[in-house]
Amino acid sequence: MYHHIHDIAVDPWETSVSPAHFREHLDVLHQQYQVRPFTGKNFRGKESGSKKNIFITFDDGYLDNYEAAVPELKKYGFQATFFIPTPILHGEAFFWWEIMDQLFWEQETLPDTLALRLGNDSFISETASALAARRPRTENTWSANTQPPPTAYCRLYVELCDWIKKRSPDDQQMITRTLRDWCK
C-alpha cells in the first residue's frame, strides 16, 4: 500500500517512498511475488510451486502516483489499484494532513497563536515557544508513527493533528480552509 512516490524532506507519518526506493520495491516484488490485479476477491496463499500473491495499491490519488509510479509499474507489467477520493478530483477539497504538513514543515513561521474553534470545542496554542525550540535535524528524521515527539514543535503538530482527526469531514474541511489561509 502506497501513498506518495516522491522525495520529501520531512515525512513524520512515513507516507512517502522515494522513486528510487519504489523501483527497488518493484524489483523485489517481481523476484519474489506474483503481482495480481485487485478484483475484490481474496487471493490467499499460493498455488503449488508458484510465488505468493500480492496486490499493489495506492491511496488518496496523488498526482505523483501517475507521474512516478505508473511508468515504473508498466516496466514490470504490474497492475495496481488506485483509490481516488472523488472530491479531490473536482478540486472541492484538500486533505487536512497535507495542509498541516505545509503549515508546519514548509513555512518559515506560524501565526503567533493557532486558534481554531468549532462550536464549543477549540484548539488554542501559543506557537512562540514551540518555534523557538525547533531542531530541524531532529524533526526531519522523526517518525510520528513510532516515536514520541522529540520537540515542543513536534508535540504541537501531533496535538493539532489529533484534534483535527476527531472532527467530522465537514469540520475538517472548514479547519483546512483556515489552515490554508495561514499558509497562504
Side-chain angles (χ1 to χ4, degrees), residues 14-181:
E14 302 171 310
T15 60
S16 188
V17 174
S18 73
H21 201 183
F22 181 66
R23 285 189 293 275
E24 291 173 4
H25 287 192
L26 295 181
D27 192 46
V28 169
L29 293 177
H30 177 71
Q31 293 173 26
Q32 298 180 15
Y33 294 90
Q34 176 66 43
V35 177
R36 300 275 208 180
F38 181 74
T39 61
K41 295 180 182 178
N42 189 9
F43 293 93
R44 292 185 181 260
K46 62 180 180 177
E47 295 174 16
S48 178
S50 68
K51 299 174 184 177
K52 286 185 178 181
N53 294 314
I54 195 164
F55 308 107
I56 299 174
T57 64
F58 293 84
D59 282 354
D60 301 327
Y62 292 108
L63 182 59
D64 59 58
N65 296 173
Y66 178 75
E67 294 175 340
V70 169
E72 296 301 324
L73 291 165
K74 285 182 177 180
K75 288 178 186 176
Y76 285 92
F78 290 165
Q79 293 183 19
T81 301
F82 296 83
F83 295 99
I84 302 173
T86 54
I88 301 300
L89 290 175
H90 299 289
E92 298 169 5
F94 294 89
F95 296 125
W96 64 265
W97 56 88
E98 294 284 328
I99 302 302
M100 282 289 295
D101 286 350
Q102 288 177 8
L103 179 65
F104 274 77
W105 311 118
E106 297 175 21
Q107 298 282 116
E108 294 293 321
T109 61
L110 286 175
D112 292 336
T113 302
L114 287 174
L116 299 165
R117 288 183 173 74
L118 293 170
N120 293 330
D121 196 9
S122 63
F123 182 94
I124 300 172
S125 180
E126 301 299 321
T127 62
S129 62
L131 282 167
R134 289 211 57 200
R135 293 182 306 192
R137 182 173 276 171
T138 300
E139 294 163 358
N140 291 358
T141 59
W142 166 59
S143 167
N145 290 319
T146 61
Q147 300 169 331
T151 65
Y153 193 74
C154 292
R155 190 169 35 262
L156 173 62
Y157 172 82
V158 168
E159 288 170 358
L160 184 52
C161 284
D162 287 345
W163 187 79
I164 295 170
K165 200 182 314 184
K166 296 173 185 171
R167 307 296 145 225
S168 72
D170 288 342
D171 286 347
Q172 289 174 346
Q173 288 304 310
M174 187 171 67
I175 294 165
T176 299
R177 284 190 291 278
T178 301
L179 295 174
R180 285 180 59 207
D181 290 345

